[in-house]
Amino acid sequence: MASTAFAAAKFLPAHLDSSPRTAPHRTAPTANFCFSPLPASSSSSSASLLRLLSPYPSGPGGRLPPPPPPRSYGGGGSGDAADSGGDARKGGILGLFLAGWAARVAADPQFPFKVLMEELVGVTACVLGDMASRPNFGLNELDFVFSTLVVGSILNFVLMYLLAPTAGVAAAASSVASALPSHMFEPGAYSLGSRVATLLSKGATFAAVGFAAGLAGTAISNGLIAMRKRMDPAFETPNKPPPTLLNAATWALHMGVSSNLRYQSLNGIEYLLGKVAPAPIFKVSVVALRCMNNVLGGMSFVLLARLTGSQRSDKPVVSTVAEEKERLIAVGNAAADAISEGRDGDGK
């Protein structure tokens, strides 16, 4: 409703405002004015006569007073959802977020659907890649997997929110886009320096968001595990909780290097596919590529977390396939011997 009111206020002429406080006075019919000639010497009497016959008193120099200022809509807003800073400031952080969300939806009506798909498909693929890189498919490190789930959900949402275009800054975005491409392989007359600057700027943005999301996500996951321990004193985590700062720094490094490089490469591959592949094949390829990208991202984070020491399992690594096969054979032989001994005992 607020955006509808803003849009209506933007195109509503001031004279259609029916408010008695701000509506301009309607002029009386011209027949009420007297245009009969008066002697030049009777300036004072003519001024008095005009004041009596005029619908309202005249101002200095015989001019009518200026009309009142136009009525303000939406608490000082200019009619654009992105410019309603007064209302956003009154609502605090939540007001700023809602105003930014409305501006992004105005620029791209499919933005909520894209966020939902990124959270459902992207986070799921990332968690699957994370679990596939851990021993026993992550069943021995479910606390680390849960931390990845929380941080990944925050990361995907924040990145989509920051990188999405907004209706209120379209002009500013176009001027910035003329200097730097949105990704390294964007077509256009961009110099090598501009493309390198894009790589570095995106890397810095990804790293900053990764560090902030790593702090928030690690604190949330560790807090939930601590709450579970208070509710169930017998509950024990399979591993030590990851250090908050070290885990956040690991996420920052992962996002600034791995995610940034994959993001740039993925956009370049999609650009090439768009030129040679038909539309249906292109869409299916994009979905498959992005799922593979998220799986690879989950796997690369596990490797980096092992290297930095932010996530270390306290349990020994599961034995290799050959050792597990030998153990199963030994168990089977022992069971067969026990059965044979039982039969011999029955025969006696």
Side-chain angles (χ1 to χ4, degrees):
M1 295 297 292
S3 60
T4 306
F6 288 147
K10 186 174 182 180
F11 300 101
L12 185 65
H15 66 273
L16 294 182
D17 186 0
S18 59
S19 172
R21 178 176 59 85
T22 60
H25 297 283
R26 291 182 172 85
T27 58
T30 55
N32 293 340
F33 291 95
C34 179
F35 295 100
S36 56
L38 295 174
S41 59
S42 58
S43 58
S44 60
S45 61
S46 63
S48 302
L49 182 60
L50 284 175
R51 279 196 297 269
L52 292 174
L53 296 178
S54 176
Y56 30 46
S58 38
R63 294 188 301 270
L64 297 177
R71 184 178 181 180
S72 173
Y73 290 87
S78 61
D80 194 345
D83 296 332
S84 56
D87 291 340
R89 283 190 293 269
K90 291 179 181 178
I93 297 178
L94 180 60
L96 290 173
F97 168 75
L98 293 178
W101 181 271
R104 283 159 177 79
V105 174
D108 182 8
Q110 298 297 326
F111 178 68
F113 175 76
K114 293 178 181 179
V115 172
L116 179 62
M117 288 297 100
E118 184 67 22
E119 290 294 330
L120 293 178
V121 180
V123 176
T124 301
C126 180
V127 171
L128 288 177
D130 182 282
M131 296 180 68
S133 301
R134 299 182 186 276
N136 199 20
F137 199 68
L139 297 180
N140 297 335
E141 303 177 1
L142 289 178
D143 47 349
F144 293 156
V145 174
F146 179 71
S147 176
T148 300
L149 173 64
V150 176
V151 177
S153 301
I154 298 174
L155 270 175
N156 282 13
F157 181 83
V158 173
L159 282 176
M160 290 199 69
Y161 186 86
L162 291 178
L163 298 178
T166 58
V169 294
S174 61
S175 62
V176 173
S178 62
L180 292 178
S182 59
H183 58 86
M184 281 187 64
F185 303 102
E186 182 178 358
Y190 298 105
S191 63
L192 179 61
S194 298
R195 298 183 185 277
V196 174
T198 296
L199 176 65
L200 297 179
S201 63
K202 293 293 184 182
T205 301
F206 279 34
V209 174
F211 185 79
L215 282 177
T218 307
I220 291 174
S221 61
N222 291 347
L224 291 175
I225 292 175
M227 185 183 300
R228 170 70 186 277
K229 287 184 177 180
R230 293 192 190 98
M231 297 174 62
D232 184 9
F235 172 76
E236 290 293 337
T237 57
N239 305 283
K240 293 181 180 179
T244 303
L245 288 178
L246 181 58
N247 202 44
T250 303
W251 275 106
L253 183 61
H254 169 72
M255 294 299 297
V257 179
S258 174
S259 294
N260 183 33
L261 293 177
R262 286 183 287 107
Y263 166 80
Q264 305 292 340
S265 303
L266 187 63
N267 280 278
I269 295 174
E270 290 179 354
Y271 168 68
L272 294 178
L273 283 175
K275 295 178 63 176
V276 299
I281 298 178
F282 173 75
K283 293 180 180 179
V284 174
S285 302
V286 167
V287 174
L289 283 172
R290 292 190 176 271
C291 289
M292 292 173 58
N293 174 59
N294 283 281
V295 172
L296 182 59
M299 298 175 68
S300 62
F301 173 75
V302 173
L303 177 61
L304 183 62
R306 299 291 190 207
L307 293 176
T308 60
S310 62
Q311 295 184 3
R312 288 183 177 177
S313 177
D314 296 335
K315 293 187 176 181
V317 180
V318 178
S319 59
T320 62
V321 177
E323 294 174 349
E324 187 68 15
K325 183 178 179 179
E326 292 179 359
R327 187 184 67 82
L328 291 176
I329 292 175
V331 171
N333 292 335
D337 293 341
I339 294 174
S340 63
E341 290 177 0
R343 289 178 179 177
D344 293 339
D346 294 339
K348 293 179 180 179

